[in-house]
């Protein structure tokens, strides 16, 4: 069994090798603007998952996925040659969901900004129901305590 540090190092190296090989050696016209975002290797160093993003629409993403699948053998042999491990891990390419998640978060933030602007617009020129400062001050507390403390007829407090 290997340690996680070795698996992380191998994953980092695989990410670099795959990115450089795609840039320099793979000349498939279906391959769009692909960015290798991450790579992960299992603990036994037998399987590697490579995460990627593609700039473009769904058609370009599908074409790039097909190009990566067809170039898998070349990429795996290059990984084996440059890493020098006994068993070259099999490669699996997975589209990274990070851009979609970022787009969803950006849409939610835009909705929140719009709601804040709407609330700000409605509240312009309005006044508070309990006055400008509805909180009690320490002086008010002293007066309230004096009013709530029972006293005798001569003015002394009862205890």
């Amino acid at each position: 069994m290997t340690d996680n540090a070795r698996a992380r190092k191998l994953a980092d190296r695989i990410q670099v090798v795959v990115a450089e090989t795609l840039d320099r050696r793979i000349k498939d016209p279906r391959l769009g603007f692909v960015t290798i975002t991450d790579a992960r290797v299992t603990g036994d160093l037998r399987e590697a998952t490579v995460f990627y993003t593609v700039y473009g629409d769904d058609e370009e993403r599908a074409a790039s996925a097909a190009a990566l699948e067809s170039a898998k053998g070349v990429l795996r042999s290059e990984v084996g040659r440059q890493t020098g491990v006994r068993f070259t891990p099999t490669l699996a390419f997975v589209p990274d969901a990070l851009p979609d998640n970022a787009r969803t978060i950006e849409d939610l933030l835009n909705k929140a900004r719009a709601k804040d602007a709407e609330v700000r617009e409605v509240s312009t020129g309005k006044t508070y129901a309990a006055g400008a400062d509805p909180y009690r001050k320490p002086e008010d507390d002293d007066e309230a305590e004096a009013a709530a403390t029972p006293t005798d007829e001569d003015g002394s407090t009862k205890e």
Side-chain angles (χ1 to χ4, degrees), residues 6-18 21 41 45 48 75-89 91:
R6 184 170 181 205
R8 277 195 309 270
K9 285 181 187 178
L10 182 61
D12 291 342
R13 184 68 188 139
I14 288 173
Q15 180 180 355
V16 170
V17 169
V18 168
T21 306
V41 178
L45 306 180
L75 293 169
R76 184 174 180 220
S77 63
E78 191 65 26
V79 165
R81 191 177 68 73
Q82 289 193 24
T83 57
V85 292
R86 181 178 294 180
F87 180 82
T88 304
L91 299 178

Side-chain angles (χ1 to χ4, degrees), residues 34-152:
V34 175
T35 304
I36 304 300
T37 56
D38 194 14
R40 295 189 184 146
V41 178
T42 58
D44 61 356
L45 306 180
R46 296 281 181 164
E47 297 174 7
T49 305
V50 180
F51 295 93
Y52 67 95
T53 59
V54 179
Y55 183 74
D57 57 0
D58 290 334
E59 184 178 310
E60 291 173 348
R61 288 185 191 123
S64 295
L68 286 172
E69 285 299 317
S70 69
K72 191 182 285 190
V74 173
L75 293 169
R76 184 174 180 220
S77 63
E78 191 65 26
V79 165
R81 191 177 68 73
Q82 289 193 24
T83 57
V85 292
R86 181 178 294 180
F87 180 82
T88 304
T90 58
L91 299 178
F93 291 97
V94 176
D96 199 354
L98 184 67
D100 296 332
N101 291 344
R103 195 172 305 114
T104 302
I105 290 172
E106 190 64 36
D107 291 344
L108 291 173
L109 288 173
N110 287 337
K111 283 182 184 177
R113 284 187 198 105
K115 284 288 191 185
D116 286 348
E118 183 181 318
V119 167
R120 196 174 311 116
E121 187 176 308
V122 167
S123 67
T124 304
K126 306 291 184 190
T127 59
Y128 293 105
D133 189 11
Y135 300 104
R136 282 198 236 170
K137 304 284 188 265
E139 307 88 46
D140 295 342
D141 290 342
D142 292 340
E143 292 172 10
E145 283 181 22
T149 306
T151 57
D152 285 338

